Amino acid sequence: TQLLEQSPQFLSIQEGENLTVYCNSSSVFSSLQWYRQEPGEGPVLLVTVVTGGEVKKLKRLTFQFGDARKDSSLHITAAQPGDTGLYLCAGVFSSGSARQLTFGSGTQLTVLP
Amino acid sequence: KAGVTQTPRYLIKTRGQQVTLSCSPISGHRSVSWYQQTPGQGLQFLFEYFSETQRNKGNFPGRFSGRQFSNSRSEMNVSTLELGDSALYLCASSPGGTKTGAFFGQGTRLTVV
C-alpha cells in the first residue's frame, strides 16, 4: 500500500507570513501533484512535479520534489486570505498501464487578515 | 474548453437503494477516475477507466462499479447503499499517462439516510 503523509494537518497564520507544507512517502512515485480544494468543490490542480530535485514556482507558491522522489514541499510566501483552503498532495503510483492518485490527508490552511 | 461536469450535484438516498452518478470529462481526455472523499478517510481512489476499459480498481466492495462509454463519459453505480457511503464523489479526467495532472469535477454530494 502506497501512503502519503502530509503535515501539518492544520495551519492558521496571519496575512503576510510564510509557511511550508510537507508531503512524505516511503515509496517512490513517478510524479507528485499538489491540489487546492475549496469547501464543496473538487480539488484544483496547482502543479505537477516529475523530476527528482525539481523546483517549480507559481507566483508566491514554490513547489519542490525531493531528489529521491519520495517527498515534496509547498512553500507560500507572504500568505494572503485568498490562499485559505485545503491543500492536498497526491502521488502517482504507476502499475503497468494503470494510473492511480494516492492522496495525502491534506493541510487545512487559514490565513487571517 | 468546458471542465469536468458531474451530475447530479446533490443526492439523498435511503439505505438499500442504488444510485448512479454521471461524469462528462474534458473533451479529448480519455482517462476518467473516480474518488470518494469523506472527513475521516480523505480522498480514496475507486477506479479508473481508459478507452472504456477499467485499468485499476481501489479497495472498495463490489457494490461500487462503473463504466465508461465510447464518448469517454463515465458512470458510477453504488448498489445496496449503506449509511457509510455518504460522501463527496469526485470524478477526474486526464489525457492519460502517469505524469499529467488530473482535472476534477465539482463532485456529487451523496447523503444516505
Side-chain angles (χ1 to χ4, degrees), chain B residues 40-67:
Chain B
Q41 298 297 319
L43 269 149
Q44 292 187 293
F45 173 78
L46 280 158
F47 28 66
E48 188 231 357
Y49 287 88
F50 184 87
S51 294
E52 303 179 65
T53 301
Q54 186 182 88
R55 291 203 297 191
N56 200 11
K57 191 177 191 308
N59 190 25
F60 279 83
R63 301 184 297 107
F64 291 82
S65 63
R67 59 177 175 170

Side-chain angles (χ1 to χ4, degrees), chain A residues 30-31 33 35 37 40-45 48 50 86 88 92 94-105, chain B residues 9-10 31 33 35 37 43 45 48 55-58 88 90 94 96-107 109:
Chain A
S30 62
S31 70
Q33 300 161 21
Y35 294 83
Q37 186 177 23
E41 302 291 328
V44 175
L45 178 67
T48 299
V50 176
L86 179 67
L88 296 155
V92 177
S94 183
S95 175
S97 62
R99 183 181 184 282
Q100 173 179 338
L101 278 176
T102 301
F103 279 85
S105 55
Chain B
R9 285 293 309 274
Y10 303 94
S31 171
S33 300
Y35 294 83
Q37 186 174 30
L43 269 149
F45 173 78
E48 188 231 357
R55 291 203 297 191
N56 200 11
K57 191 177 191 308
L88 180 66
L90 293 159
S94 71
T98 61
K99 299 183 179 180
T100 57
F103 298 86
F104 283 83
Q106 292 180 298
R109 171 71 64 186

Side-chain angles (χ1 to χ4, degrees), chain A residues 19 34-36 46-47 55-64 73-80 83 87 109:
Chain A
L19 67 113
W34 286 92
Y35 294 83
R36 179 180 154 201
L46 296 174
V47 76
V55 177
K56 281 192 175 179
K57 291 191 175 183
L58 185 66
K59 296 183 180 178
R60 293 176 293 100
L61 278 59
T62 302
F63 305 87
Q64 281 190 294
S73 64
L74 157 61
H75 182 79
I76 301 179
T77 304
Q80 299 176 359
D83 295 326
Y87 289 82
L109 171 65

Side-chain angles (χ1 to χ4, degrees), chain A residues 2-9 21-27 29 32 34 70-73 88-91 102-107:
Chain A
Q2 312 295 321
L3 295 174
L4 281 182
E5 294 184 359
Q6 196 171 336
S7 62
Q9 189 176 357
V21 178
Y22 300 92
C23 184
N24 297 286
S25 171
S26 59
S27 302
F29 288 87
L32 193 135
W34 286 92
K70 291 184 177 182
D71 59 274
S72 181
S73 64
L88 296 155
C89 63
T102 301
F103 279 85
S105 55
T107 296

